[in-house]
Amino acid sequence: MSQITTIVFDLGGVLIDWNPQYLYRKIFSNEAEMNWFLENICTSDWNEEQDGGRSLKEATELLINAHPEQEANIRAFYDRWVEMLGGPIEGTVEVFRNIKSNSNYSTYALTNWSAETFPTALGMYDFLHWFDGRLVSGEENTRKPFKIIYEKLIARFNIDPSKSIYIDDNLRNLHPAKELGFTIIHFQNPEQLAAELKQLGVRFS
């Protein structure tokens, strides 16, 4: 594994702590009501359509038309989206910083993220500018785990998967990367990530 030249990071859940519960705990009076709303109204599947390129306006109107009694709570999802950001996952940022200090590695981001909200994150987190390149799903009108977005990453940045590591907290998103030849790491915490990278021969302090 000493021939690794490229490391690709997922963002949400790996470098950035993002969770709708951070917002909706402020809105709902109890956990059960909040969980019901996120499991039945503003669901993960609904949010992923925005990651895949659907506009925030269309997505919001779609839910309001179906659930008019929940309009205020639905509008809060994107009106107050920044309140879902818990900040950087500092341990992973430190691993990233140390990898960047070793000029032998190219680093890229492959993220499921709305094209309309990603610029906000770019303005908040300096480390998003450290990458040699980024592929944002909402800008590509497709998303993980569809294989085409991994193929776009490979082609756009001339990546050799056989010499590359892909890191993601979602097992579902790791399978296509593995099929395309990446060495994969299922992110669980920064300490585990650092240990697995070192086991694979990645050099960093």
Side-chain angles (χ1 to χ4, degrees):
M1 287 300 171
S2 59
Q3 293 189 355
I4 291 293
T5 62
T6 302
I7 302 171
V8 182
F9 289 83
D10 174 39
L11 295 182
V14 175
L15 279 158
I16 298 171
D17 180 14
W18 176 86
N19 193 328
Q21 292 183 356
Y22 295 150
L23 165 63
Y24 282 99
R25 282 197 177 104
K26 303 173 187 177
I27 292 174
F28 287 97
S29 58
N30 65 66
E31 201 88 352
E33 289 181 9
M34 177 194 71
N35 288 336
W36 183 90
F37 178 82
L38 293 174
E39 289 167 7
N40 294 278
I41 309 294
C42 288
T43 65
S44 294
D45 288 344
W46 168 80
N47 180 60
E48 281 199 331
E49 292 300 314
Q50 288 72 270
D51 290 346
R54 182 168 64 185
S55 75
L56 307 189
K57 183 176 186 295
E58 179 185 350
T60 301
E61 290 178 352
L62 180 74
L63 285 191
I64 290 171
N65 288 337
H67 307 281
E69 75 287 355
Q70 294 281 354
E71 179 173 0
N73 294 332
I74 292 166
R75 289 197 184 280
F77 196 96
Y78 289 114
D79 288 348
R80 298 174 60 182
W81 172 85
V82 72
E83 296 176 55
M84 300 180 190
L85 295 170
I89 299 175
E90 296 291 355
T92 314
V93 175
E94 189 60 24
V95 170
F96 183 20
R97 188 193 318 276
N98 292 336
I99 289 170
K100 286 300 293 181
S101 70
N102 186 327
S103 60
N104 291 331
Y105 301 107
S106 298
T107 58
Y108 299 95
L110 177 62
T111 183
N112 277 2
W113 207 302
S114 163
E116 294 177 69
T117 58
F118 191 67
T120 300
L122 276 178
M124 294 175 66
Y125 304 123
D126 183 61
F127 59 84
L128 293 179
H129 300 271
W130 300 352
F131 291 103
D132 296 295
R134 300 181 300 259
L135 204 67
V136 178
S137 64
E139 297 172 358
E140 305 298 325
N141 294 311
T142 187
R143 59 174 174 81
K144 298 178 286 186
F146 301 123
K147 192 173 284 187
I148 187 172
I149 197 166
Y150 303 84
E151 293 169 339
K152 285 187 174 193
L153 176 84
I154 291 165
R156 187 163 306 169
F157 301 118
N158 195 29
I159 290 171
D160 180 350
S162 71
K163 297 180 179 179
S164 304
I165 295 170
Y166 176 63
I167 303 158
D168 203 304
D169 65 312
N170 190 328
L171 265 176
R172 177 198 69 173
N173 295 338
L174 288 164
H175 297 312
K178 186 175 182 179
E179 289 173 10
L180 287 165
F182 286 86
T183 297
I184 58 170
I185 295 178
H186 181 208
F187 179 86
Q188 297 167 63
N189 58 65
E191 295 75 24
Q192 164 260 342
L193 172 63
E196 290 202 33
L197 285 169
K198 288 178 179 176
Q199 286 173 4
L200 292 169
V202 176
R203 297 179 306 280
F204 60 97
S205 57

